[in-house]
Amino acid sequence: MSKTLTISKTRYRLQQFKKVLVQIFSSKRGAFGIIILVAAAIIALAAPLIAPYDPVNDKDLAGRFCAPIWYPKIFGGAYSENMELVSDPLFDSPKELQYWHASPSGSVQVSWVNFTGYNKDLNGRLYNKPGCILLNLTEPSDQNLTAVYSLSFNYSYTAPPKRFRLSFYYLAKAVENSPVNVTVRLYQPGNKPPLVILDSYKESGRLIAHIDETSKSWTLLKVDSQAGGAWREEYLGENVQTPARYMFPRSGVYKIEVEIKFTPNANLEPGRVMFLIDNFRIKLYGSVFGLLGTDQEGRDVFSQLIWGSRLSLFVGVLCAIVSVALGLIFGLLAGYIGGAVDEIIMRMTDVLLTIPGLPLLIVLMAVLGASLFNLIILIGFLGWMGFARTVRSMVLSLKERPFVEAARAAGATTGYILVRHIIPNVMTLVYVALATSVPGAILAEAALSFLGLYDPNVMTWGRMLHDVETSPVGVKMWWWAVPPGMGIAIVSLSFILMGYALDEILNPRLRERR
C-alpha cells in the first residue's frame, strides 16, 4: 500500500512538473528565457570540445592584443598570421634532418636518435615520446667543427609579425673539452649581409650562447624579439623600438641559419662530446588570431568566452542554491517556531541587510583569499536575508491554516508538519527565488572579478572584463570587451524572464484571465 502511494505521488509530481513546463513554454517570456538558458548550458557543457585552448594557461598563442582573423577581411588593413617554421619541433621522426648540414669533412655527425629528450611539449605539458637531434664529434682535431640548421621560407603577409621567437632545449655532455658557440643569422630579401641576432652574447654577466660545461638538465636557449632591452641594443641598435618590424620589413623570401660550432681539441677522444637538441621551434607571431583575437598575454579570447560561460553559470546557480536554501531554512524556523528564535533570526537579518553587500564582499574576499570556493560561499551566505523574510511572512500565514491545525491536533511533530505541509506550500516561492537569484550572483561575481578579486586558476566573464579594463588598449578592442558583457546580460535576462514566467504561473494573483 505504501509503495503504491509513493508511486502515485511521484506520478502526480511528474505530471505537475510537466504541466508547469508546458505553461512556461506557452509564455513568450518563459519560452525565450528557456531557449537562451538551454543554449548557454549546451555551450558551457561542451566547452572542452568548442574551446580549442586552455583559457588561462595557453599563453603566447599569437601576438599580444591580436584582432580576430575576420577583422581585416571586413574592415581592411594590413595583417599577418602565425607561421610555425619547424614542422616537427619535438623531433618525433627524422624528417627534420634534411635541414641540418654538417661540415664537409664529416668531423661533426648529425643524427636523429630514439632518445626521450626534453619532457615537455610546446605548451609545457608532460611529453615523453622519444626523439631528438644528436651532434657528435668524430674528428675533434678538425678546424671546422660546425653543424648548421638552414631554413628558407616565403613571408607573404602585408604586415610584419608582432613577434619573432627561436628557441630550443639543449643537453651538453663533456663540452668542457670543446666549448660550443651558437650563432643565429637572419638573411633578409636582397643581397644584404645577414642580420646576426644571436652569438656569444653576454646577459647578466654570463655568455648565453657560449656553452662550456656539462648540462645538469635540459636548458633553454632562445632569441625573442619581445624580450627587447639589452638584446635589442646589442644586435639591432638603440633606435629600434619594434624588433619584429625591423627584422621582417616586407614580404619576400627569408632564410634563418643556426650555426653550432665546436672548439677544436687535438687531445680529445672522438665521440666523447655530445650536444643534444629538442623542442626546436621557430615561430612568427601574427597580428590576427582566432574568432575573437588574443589578450595581453597572447591567450585566445574565444576560449575564455566559452569557458567563462561555464564558470559564470556554475557560480550563479550554486550561489543561488546556497542563498535560497539558507533563506528557506531561516524563514521556516523564524515563522513556525516564533518567539526567541524568530527574534534572533530577524534581528540578525536586519543587521546583515543594513551592511552594504559589495564592500563587505570585497573586504571578506581580500581577507579570506580570492578563490572560487570562497567566492561561492560568500555570495551565497550574504544573499539569503530577503528571501528569509518572504518565507517567514508566508509561514506565519500557513501555520494558522486549518490543515496545519488539524495535523497538530492529530499529534504530528514540528518536523513532520514542516516537511509535509509547510514546505510544499512554500516551494512556489523557492522556484521563483532560484530563478531570480542567479542573475544577482552572476553580477556579484562579475563585479568582484572586475575589481581584481578573482581566482587566478579559472576564467570567468568578470575576469575578462577586468583584463579589458586594466590593459592599455583593451577598451579600444570592442571584440574583446563586448562579448563577456553581452554574455552576462543575456544569461541574466534568461533567468529573469523565467522568474517572471514562473511567478505568473505559480502565483494565482498574477495569472491572466483567459
Side-chain angles (χ1 to χ4, degrees), residues 170 200-211 213 219-221:
Y170 70 85
S200 298
Y201 167 57
K202 181 176 287 187
E203 183 182 76
S204 302
R206 71 183 185 92
L207 295 172
I208 63 170
H210 176 78
I211 303 159
E213 59 182 23
T219 306
L220 175 65
L221 185 66

Side-chain angles (χ1 to χ4, degrees), residues 54 56-57 370 454-459 463:
D54 187 306
V56 178
N57 299 316
Y454 55 79
D455 189 331
N457 299 314
V458 298
M459 182 61 64
R463 180 177 176 180

Side-chain angles (χ1 to χ4, degrees), residues 60 74 89 92 105 142 191 234 284 319 380 423 426 432 438 464 478 513:
D60 295 327
I74 297 175
D92 291 335
S105 63
D142 192 8
N191 296 319
E234 176 77 16
L284 302 180
C319 290
I423 291 180
V426 178
V432 176
V438 173
M464 289 180 67
W478 57 266
R513 295 182 178 272

Side-chain angles (χ1 to χ4, degrees), residues 3 29 38 63 111 133 176 269 278 383 405 439 449:
K3 185 177 180 181
R29 289 177 176 177
V38 169
S111 60
I133 297 295
E176 298 89 350
E269 180 183 348
D278 202 3
E405 292 289 344
S449 297

